[in-house]
Amino acid sequence: MPLLHWSLAAIMLQSVHVTVSSARFFNNAIAPKPFSRDALTTIHLIARSGSFAVAAERLNRVPSAVNYTVKKLEEKLGFALFDRSGHQARLTAAG
């Protein structure tokens, strides 16, 4: 009887491990990753100030680093977040 008990316990543990592993795979493969707080703060500061340079100053970064962060997000999303055609950066309808 104890041997049967241990085999059932082993099967149950394997089942739990497979379920947890499957859930991790599913979450990593399909569910979108949330944006970092840094990226969201960057977008917020640009939208409020209308300027990549002002946002960079407030974040203690160079403007090229802020621009790089936004471009990476735009590539990930597949659309532009800001209209850069004028003197001020404005959120697009999608942004």
Side-chain angles (χ1 to χ4, degrees):
M1 183 79 167
L3 182 60
L4 179 61
H5 177 12
W6 282 106
S7 353
L8 289 174
I11 290 170
M12 288 171 57
L13 284 175
Q14 282 182 326
S15 174
V16 168
H17 176 71
V18 169
T19 304
V20 170
S21 297
S22 299
R24 285 185 188 142
F25 173 78
F26 177 77
N27 287 336
N28 290 337
I30 297 173
K33 304 245 186 217
F35 298 117
S36 70
R37 183 181 180 136
D38 180 56
L40 292 175
T41 302
T42 301
I43 293 168
H44 175 75
L45 286 172
I46 295 167
R48 287 194 42 114
S49 67
S51 168
F52 280 69
V54 170
E57 185 178 323
R58 290 184 184 162
L59 292 167
N60 295 319
R61 289 203 243 151
V62 294
S64 61
V66 170
N67 192 39
Y68 178 80
T69 299
V70 173
K71 284 198 183 262
K72 283 298 190 186
L73 277 172
E74 289 175 336
E75 287 174 9
K76 190 175 188 180
L77 294 170
F79 56 84
L81 292 170
F82 293 98
D83 175 16
R84 298 171 176 89
S85 61
H87 290 288
Q88 287 194 337
R90 298 184 187 268
L91 283 172
T92 62

